[in-house]
Amino acid sequence: MRRSTAYHHLPAVLAVCCFLSLASCGLFLQEAGLKNYRLDERVQEKGLNDQQADFVHLARLLEIGFPQLDSVFPKHEREREQQAILAALALEHDPVSFVLQARRYLSRLHNQHTSIRLKNGFGRTRYPFEVFISRDQWFLLNIPKQQDSLLIGKRIVSLNGVPIAEVDERLRAYTFAENKINQQYELRSMALYSNPAYLRAVGVLREGDERLVLGLEGGRELRLSPVADAREAALHTITFPDHPLTKAQADKPYLYKVDTALRMGYLQFNHCHDSIDVIEGMQSYVKPWLQPMARAYLQGQFRKEKPSPRLRGFYQPEHPTFKRFLREMVDSLNANGVEDLVIDLRGNPGGNLILGKQLLYFLTDREGLEGFKEYAFTSGIFKQYFTKEYEALEKAHGGRVPQGQLVRMDRDAGLFAEITDPASPYHVPPDRPVFKGRVYLLANYRTGSAAAMLTTLFQDNGFGKVIGTSVGNNPTGATIWTPMELPRTKARISIATAYLVRPKEDRGKEQVPDIWVEYTVDDLVRGVDPYLEAAMQEIRAARQDR
């Protein structure tokens, strides 16, 4: 499949592009320009409030579109939870209760591409503290200025007397992430631990409670009251020094550096997007009648020296296509006698996996490498969003595509099928320069979607060592970002509608790095990058063994 991954922010960017290309149509284009799937039949049950009706709608969409649903969330369990949730929403049918119930229900799928959110979120009331989680332990990362700053960095052992391991487990039941370290990152990045609604839902706060007591190592306690707006909480001013080499530059989709003295190269790959990909991606997310105008707008932006800030991170004028960037980079690596290349995917949320395959193509001239086995879960949802892919399935099945089944799409064409096809916009000529040195890949819980899949392809095909943690998406399971909007609450949802199987199935459903590395609080304070340190240790060992 051409796009076997999530785009996350790209639909929003394309919506803005549609709006800007026909500004006189205003908000209508921004709202109507993107695809949205709704069930043909309306919810018929009488007496349902908006939240109940939309939950029924959501549950039905899952039944239609999510692959292998029974294997991860058995039918009898779904039906039991549906009845419990409908009863709960009859008593409390406010937006917060709805999202809490829906998040817990969807969390049973453990799928990053199947999620729900409200446009306005949960409000801003929070407890004023920040945490860092490392190797299953929680640490205080920041607290109010009136509190003793020496408490920063202390390990948290409980919240209101509930052991932190139990708090961790209960909160993770409201996340969509696919493995433990990613669930911990999600509860931390969304600050679920400081949100009164979630703390009540998991039993840390009881009805009428306001005070939150943090139990710290050594018997110390920290007592906090909620603040109305977390953005205005007066916390200590804390800055962590950036590492001079690996400092994140998220406004650039990709960049590289060469250290001639160390004979080492560094590639920071932040987004799997370029000018070709952005235009191609429009076909999946923008309605057909608006695509010509959106295409014209994007092509106009790509001719500018300074395109719209909305495209920042998806496109850069100095390197409009990733394949041209890769040719320049590998030529530079080879010309400078670079022996070791470090690829950094830690800030890459995904995009188009084909760009990742282009990278691998410049790292090897081996043949017979394996890609993912890619399946569509055939339904009206998949057909509406991925029209070209569905048309290819129709052609392969004589016009009759089996419905409600996993249908193979890739036809075992090999890892580089799109790259070696001269008719493909992603084609790279076979005379490309190839980097012959050793390669190390840094990845963690922020490595998502296409970047997570790239990590698996890199590991399963023996390109080099993976250093870090498990990535954001498991390599075998449901995938693809398919955004929709529920009819009454207007909650934004996505439902995975395809399925992937990693090249080396015997490695398991979760991607596990060759060398496990996590930051500590001390690393943050000192500006140390333990991932890079581990890579450098491997580089030194490899050079000594020559």
Side-chain angles (χ1 to χ4, degrees):
M1 181 180 179
R2 181 179 60 80
R3 187 175 304 102
S4 52
T5 181
Y7 270 62
H8 295 279
H9 303 299
L10 186 55
V13 171
L14 293 175
V16 174
C17 291
C18 294
F19 169 69
L20 292 175
S21 64
L22 283 176
S24 62
C25 295
L27 185 61
F28 169 73
L29 281 175
Q30 192 168 348
E31 294 296 328
L34 292 181
K35 294 179 181 178
N36 185 34
Y37 186 88
R38 290 186 181 178
L39 298 171
D40 291 335
E41 73 277 10
R42 295 184 178 182
V43 176
Q44 297 297 322
E45 291 87 342
K46 294 182 179 180
L48 293 183
N49 59 49
D50 288 348
Q51 285 71 28
Q52 289 174 311
D54 268 6
F55 177 74
V56 171
H57 195 99
L58 173 62
R60 289 181 178 176
L61 288 170
L62 282 181
E63 300 288 337
I64 294 170
F66 190 87
Q68 305 292 82
L69 181 59
D70 288 341
S71 67
V72 294
F73 197 177
K75 186 176 181 63
H76 69 279
E77 294 182 17
R78 296 199 304 274
E79 292 176 343
R80 184 175 64 243
E81 291 207 22
Q82 288 169 14
Q83 292 304 313
I85 289 172
L86 288 173
L89 291 176
L91 299 175
E92 294 185 50
H93 46 87
D94 57 280
V96 171
S97 297
F98 170 64
V99 170
L100 282 171
Q101 295 287 355
R103 283 187 70 98
R104 187 173 179 86
Y105 186 77
L106 293 180
S107 180
R108 291 290 301 272
L109 304 174
H110 304 296
N111 187 267
Q112 189 73 28
H113 296 89
T114 305
S115 61
I116 185 169
R117 67 180 177 87
L118 285 176
K119 293 180 182 178
N120 298 324
F122 275 73
R124 298 192 178 97
T125 299
R126 296 291 187 275
Y127 286 91
F129 73 110
E130 297 175 359
V131 307
F132 183 75
I133 302 175
S134 177
R135 296 190 180 273
D136 294 333
Q137 295 187 326
W138 290 35
F139 299 88
L140 266 181
L141 197 61
N142 207 347
I143 54 177
K145 289 181 178 179
Q146 64 266 31
Q147 302 287 348
D148 185 358
S149 63
L150 293 178
L151 295 178
I152 296 174
K154 295 291 184 182
R155 184 166 59 89
I156 305 171
V157 298
S158 66
L159 295 183
N160 278 0
V162 181
I164 207 65
E166 291 186 27
V167 176
D168 184 290
E169 182 178 9
R170 295 177 192 177
L171 285 175
R172 286 190 289 109
Y174 289 87
T175 64
F176 307 125
E178 300 181 10
N179 50 64
K180 186 176 182 180
I181 193 165
N182 282 278
Q183 292 163 4
Q184 290 173 331
Y185 173 65
E186 186 176 336
L187 71 87
R188 181 165 63 90
S189 62
M190 293 186 63
L192 304 188
Y193 60 86
S194 66
N195 188 321
Y198 283 99
L199 293 176
R200 292 189 193 284
V202 301
V204 169
L205 287 176
R206 292 180 174 82
E207 199 62 39
D209 284 348
E210 285 289 334
R211 187 64 57 89
L212 183 66
V213 181
L214 281 63
L216 307 177
E217 60 182 329
R220 298 281 304 268
E221 289 186 344
L222 179 63
R223 298 175 179 271
L224 298 173
S225 297
V227 295
D229 191 335
R231 299 175 305 177
E232 298 178 5
L235 303 183
H236 287 276
T237 301
I238 296 177
T239 57
F240 298 116
D242 292 314
H243 190 279
L245 178 62
T246 62
K247 176 184 177 180
Q249 299 186 47
D251 61 328
K252 295 182 180 295
Y254 30 79
L255 60 100
Y256 77 95
K257 301 175 184 178
V258 175
D259 189 320
T260 55
L262 292 176
R263 304 187 307 282
M264 188 190 88
Y266 171 76
L267 165 63
Q268 189 175 114
F269 191 10
N270 294 319
H271 293 274
C272 299
H273 295 295
D274 66 1
S275 60
I276 296 173
D277 163 74
V278 171
I279 289 179
E280 287 283 300
M282 176 180 57
Q283 299 175 48
S284 291
Y285 297 106
V286 175
K287 292 180 180 178
W289 62 272
L290 198 51
Q291 289 180 15
M293 291 169 282
R295 181 185 294 271
Y297 171 80
L298 289 169
Q299 289 174 336
Q301 289 295 314
F302 295 153
R303 288 192 290 269
K304 294 181 178 181
E305 290 186 9
K306 292 184 178 182
S308 168
R310 294 285 184 179
L311 290 171
R312 186 174 296 126
F314 297 93
Y315 166 77
Q316 55 183 342
E318 62 269 33
H319 294 113
T321 66
F322 191 47
K323 57 186 177 182
R324 194 168 94 179
F325 166 86
L326 289 171
R327 181 176 290 274
E328 175 191 307
M329 181 188 76
V330 174
D331 277 339
S332 178
L333 297 176
N334 291 339
N336 285 285
V338 169
E339 298 179 7
D340 298 276
L341 172 64
V342 176
I343 300 172
D344 195 343
L345 296 181
R346 288 175 292 174
N348 192 324
N352 194 333
L353 179 59
I354 300 179
L355 273 69
K357 293 180 180 180
Q358 287 179 331
L359 169 59
L360 297 181
Y361 193 58
F362 278 87
L363 299 180
T364 187
D365 52 13
R366 289 184 290 151
E367 297 181 355
L369 301 182
E370 298 180 75
F372 285 91
K373 296 181 180 69
E374 303 177 359
Y375 300 84
F377 186 69
T378 51
S379 68
I381 299 175
F382 188 90
K383 181 178 181 179
Q384 177 173 317
Y385 281 81
F386 306 105
T387 307
K388 284 190 174 181
E389 289 83 354
Y390 196 86
E391 289 174 352
L393 291 178
E394 285 184 318
K395 184 177 180 180
H397 290 82
R400 295 188 176 184
V401 181
Q403 292 298 298
Q405 299 179 29
L406 291 180
V407 180
R408 183 82 178 263
M409 291 188 292
D410 60 286
R411 295 191 291 277
D412 200 23
L415 180 59
F416 297 128
E418 303 99 333
I419 312 304
T420 56
D421 179 4
S424 168
Y426 301 97
H427 173 64
V428 175
D431 64 349
R432 84 280 184 199
V434 175
F435 178 66
K436 295 292 188 179
R438 292 175 293 267
V439 188
Y440 305 86
L441 190 148
L442 312 183
N444 67 0
Y445 42 81
R446 295 181 63 216
T447 306
S449 197
M453 295 160 66
L454 171 58
T455 303
T456 297
L457 292 176
F458 180 93
Q459 185 179 54
D460 285 10
N461 284 289
F463 279 86
K465 289 188 176 181
V466 175
I467 298 170
T469 72
S470 294
V471 292
N473 303 102
N474 290 343
T476 294
T479 188
I480 295 186
W481 188 254
T482 312
M484 309 175 204
E485 184 179 88
L486 294 178
R488 300 196 189 184
T489 62
K490 306 303 179 183
R492 303 290 176 84
I493 67 169
S494 173
I495 294 176
T497 54
Y499 196 88
L500 294 177
V501 177
R502 71 186 299 173
K504 302 296 185 186
E505 292 184 60
D506 58 350
R507 289 180 179 263
K509 288 191 173 183
E510 184 175 331
Q511 187 274 327
V512 179
D514 300 297
I515 302 171
W516 189 280
V517 176
E518 293 183 49
Y519 272 92
T520 66
V521 174
D522 186 57
D523 291 330
L524 295 174
V525 171
R526 295 191 297 119
V528 172
D529 187 337
Y531 295 72
L532 182 64
E533 292 291 318
M536 296 304 298
Q537 185 175 345
E538 291 294 313
I539 289 171
R540 288 190 290 267
R543 292 181 179 182
Q544 289 173 358
D545 289 342
R546 286 183 305 184

